[in-house]
């Protein structure tokens, strides 16, 4: 199995697939392609028909888009989704909401693991996205989180979906209180997240358009 990803500092979609693969216990070769430098597009297209990362290559075929990759991994490793049908449906709903939404947060607070942009990026629209995420985290933890520290107890695709938000909250100094704050600490303490962060800090490339605040 090969997982094609972008820069660990910046590529939030890559982190989602990579973390799901790590948490699912898969053995995979990681192919990291630094984004937006000469040759990157051609290199990505040689693996990924969409021209985007992440892309998973397994048994000679490609699965692209982080949502599809997560579902593919969960078919092989069902523990990546909750077993209870209601919890599983809500896990998919909050994952889809992340995948399709939160445009204000994404554009004003892009993932940038290396930087400290405390206080930057806020607007009424960004703060509304943050409030919705905190509400999702609080609701999932209280309704479904009894068997562990993650949104649905044990780690699931929903946690992979929100993992980049944890790095964003760290970078931009967003500090939720209560259960949402405890969940943020859980994500940031996850050993695979720490591996990813260490690798992001060791990267030498930078994408000026993503370093929004200097
Ligand atoms: N919906 C896609 C989004 C993938 C995406 O936008 N990837 C970015 C990096 S995070 C990318 O490949 N950018 C390179 C490019 O657009 O040339 C997913 O969930 O995988």
């Amino acid at each position: 199995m090969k997982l094609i990803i972008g820069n660990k500092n910046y590529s939030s979609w890559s982190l989602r697939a990579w973390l799901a693969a790590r948490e699912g216990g898969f053995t995979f070769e990681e192919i990291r392609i630094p984004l937006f430098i000469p040759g990157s597009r051609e290199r990505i297209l040689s693996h990924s028909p969409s021209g985007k990362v992440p892309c998973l290559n397994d048994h000679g075929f490609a699965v692209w888009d982080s949502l599809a990759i997560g579902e593919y991994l969960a078919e092989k490793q069902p523990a990546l989704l909750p077993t209870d049908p209601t919890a599983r449906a809500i896990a998919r709903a909050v994952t889809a909401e992340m995948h399709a939404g939160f445009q204000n947060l994404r554009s004003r607070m892009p993932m940038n693991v290396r930087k400290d942009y405390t206080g930057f990026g806020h607007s009424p629209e960004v703060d509304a996205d943050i409030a919705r995420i905190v509400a999702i985290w609080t609701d999932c933890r209280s309704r479904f989180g009894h068997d562990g520290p993650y949104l649905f107890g044990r780690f699931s695709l929903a946690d992979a979906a929100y993992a980049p938000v944890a790095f964003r909250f760290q970078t931009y100094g967003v500090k939720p209180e209560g259960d949402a704050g405890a969940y943020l600490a859980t994500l940031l303490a996850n050993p695979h997240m720490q591996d990813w962060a260490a690798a992001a800090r060791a990267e030498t490339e930078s994408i000026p358009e993503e370093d929004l605040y200097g």
Side-chain angles (χ1 to χ4, degrees), residues 8-19:
K8 289 189 172 174
N9 190 52
Y10 300 108
S11 184
S12 57
W13 298 111
S14 298
L15 168 59
R16 294 179 171 102
W18 182 93
L19 186 59

Side-chain angles (χ1 to χ4, degrees), residues 145-170:
H146 304 297
D147 295 335
Y150 290 102
L151 291 177
F152 294 84
R154 59 178 166 69
F155 188 94
S156 76
L157 294 183
D159 302 294
Y162 285 89
V165 173
F167 283 141
R168 287 179 161 110
F169 281 8
Q170 177 173 255

Side-chain angles (χ1 to χ4, degrees), residues 6 10-14 16 35-36 40-41 44 50-55 64-69 99:
Y10 300 108
S11 184
S12 57
W13 298 111
S14 298
R16 294 179 171 102
L35 302 174
F36 306 120
S40 348
R41 181 154 180 79
I44 294 172
S50 66
K52 304 267 188 205
V53 289
C55 182
W64 62 96
D65 195 290
S66 58
L67 200 57
I69 294 168
H99 195 259

